[in-house]
Amino acid sequence: MSTPEPASGGVPRVFAVIRALSRVPPEGARVTHLAQSVGLTQATTHRLLQALVAEGMVEQDERSKLYRLSVDFFALAAQAGNTGGLRALCRPALLRLCASLGDTLFLLVRSGFDAVCLDRAEGPFPIRSFTGDIGGRVALGVGQGALAILAFLPEDEREEVIRFNLSRVREFGVYDEVYLRTEIERVRQLGYAGRNTGLLDGMAGVAVPVLSAEGRPVAALSVGTIADRLNPERLPTVVALLQREAAQLGPRINPFDPVLRRPSQSLAEPWPESGSASVS
């Protein structure tokens, strides 16, 4: 049974079609289905769809003739939905975690085959890290934050990164392919990366991936601290706090945020200092 026809006027009818398109399968829908869904005639629905196609908000598959919302539409919606960017979005979470845990927090974001430190909140303990200061980068797979991102990439993508980075991670002396793949599987099973590898003497870390609404690991929240502060008794508490913040951040991330493609762009923006520069 068809729904009542939307209110008269072009704008309500256009938005009725857009809402209907948001509910169709990824491959799209036919005019007849959309017309029935919005309660308009097929001719009216077709006219509205063609107007939306002309504006770049809707696309029609040449073979199937199915209509769907375009990438431009999603880009426009995402741009309006998160104007502050990933760094600004995650900053309060870093400060909360730093205050709660008393340790140094890092926000890492993927950049090709690397992870880049996009932001940090300093704890009271002097530590060392693989990425060092804001803007530092490390190969995906080295360090807990970079490992957390790598482990949750789609399988085909993960394999490409492993092949490219294997020679790079071997430079640290304790990695080989078997070890790296074992660690990746361990992280996937646990949901976090947390182990004192001994690569940085006296240091320990734990990290969780920040998954977008589509389930992609676009970033990681990571704690860096001295090894004694990340003992088996404290570790579950630290992981739980990280996972709670990551779960709240993930759905709010703008998938079209330019920071996800070019982290250095965000680093060029002025940002207030946060604590002492103890990470080196």
Side-chain angles (χ1 to χ4, degrees), residues 1-271:
M1 184 173 64
S2 62
T3 58
E5 184 165 326
S8 61
V11 173
R13 292 183 175 188
V14 166
F15 277 97
V17 172
I18 289 174
R19 292 188 182 96
L21 284 167
S22 71
R23 299 189 293 267
V24 303
E27 61 271 17
R30 295 189 179 278
V31 176
T32 51
H33 172 83
L34 293 167
Q36 184 178 11
S37 176
V38 299
L40 294 171
T41 66
Q42 185 171 327
T44 299
T45 304
H46 182 265
R47 184 170 65 252
L48 293 172
L49 286 167
Q50 290 303 308
L52 288 166
V53 169
E55 293 296 328
M57 297 296 101
V58 171
E59 59 188 22
Q60 184 183 25
D61 187 273
E62 292 184 0
R63 289 187 175 183
S64 67
K65 304 302 180 183
L66 301 180
Y67 290 91
R68 57 179 174 259
L69 294 173
S70 69
V71 173
D72 286 347
F73 174 86
F74 289 108
L76 186 64
Q79 184 178 6
N82 179 15
T83 57
L86 179 64
R87 197 176 178 201
L89 176 67
C90 295
R91 184 65 179 171
L94 289 185
L95 295 177
R96 282 193 298 269
L97 288 166
C98 183
S100 298
L101 296 172
D103 292 304
T104 298
L105 270 294
F106 299 91
L107 171 65
L108 282 79
V109 63
R110 183 189 176 187
S111 177
F113 295 99
D114 294 343
V116 175
C117 179
L118 194 64
D119 199 6
R120 72 164 189 249
E122 295 286 346
F125 301 97
I127 67 166
R128 292 172 294 145
S129 73
F130 290 109
T131 55
D133 209 336
I134 294 174
R137 65 173 57 225
V138 67
L140 287 175
V142 178
Q144 306 307 328
L147 181 59
I149 294 173
L150 174 61
F152 286 90
L153 289 174
E155 183 177 1
D156 291 348
E157 199 170 341
R158 187 169 66 245
E159 288 299 316
E160 290 297 327
V161 174
I162 291 173
R163 279 194 286 269
F164 185 87
N165 278 356
L166 192 56
S167 62
R168 303 171 71 198
V169 301
R170 281 173 176 158
E171 295 175 2
F172 289 86
V174 299
Y175 286 100
D176 59 27
E177 185 171 358
V178 173
Y179 178 86
L180 181 59
R181 290 185 181 276
T182 301
E183 285 296 286
I184 288 172
E185 185 57 33
R186 179 176 179 271
V187 173
R188 289 179 61 81
Q189 291 178 359
L190 293 175
Y192 66 89
R195 177 179 287 189
N196 183 1
T197 62
L199 295 180
L200 294 175
D201 187 39
M203 300 290 104
V206 59
V208 302
V210 180
L211 305 178
S212 69
E214 295 75 29
R216 290 188 60 84
V218 296
L221 294 175
S222 177
V223 169
T225 187
I226 57 178
D228 290 345
R229 286 182 55 78
L230 207 58
N231 55 50
E233 290 75 25
R234 187 171 183 255
L235 179 61
T237 299
V238 177
V239 170
L241 289 172
L242 288 172
Q243 289 179 331
R244 183 178 68 184
E245 293 287 356
Q248 293 174 353
L249 289 170
R252 299 169 58 197
I253 291 175
N254 177 354
F256 297 94
D257 189 336
V259 173
L260 302 182
R261 300 188 303 275
R262 300 183 299 275
S264 58
Q265 176 173 314
S266 174
L267 295 173
E269 300 172 0
W271 194 259

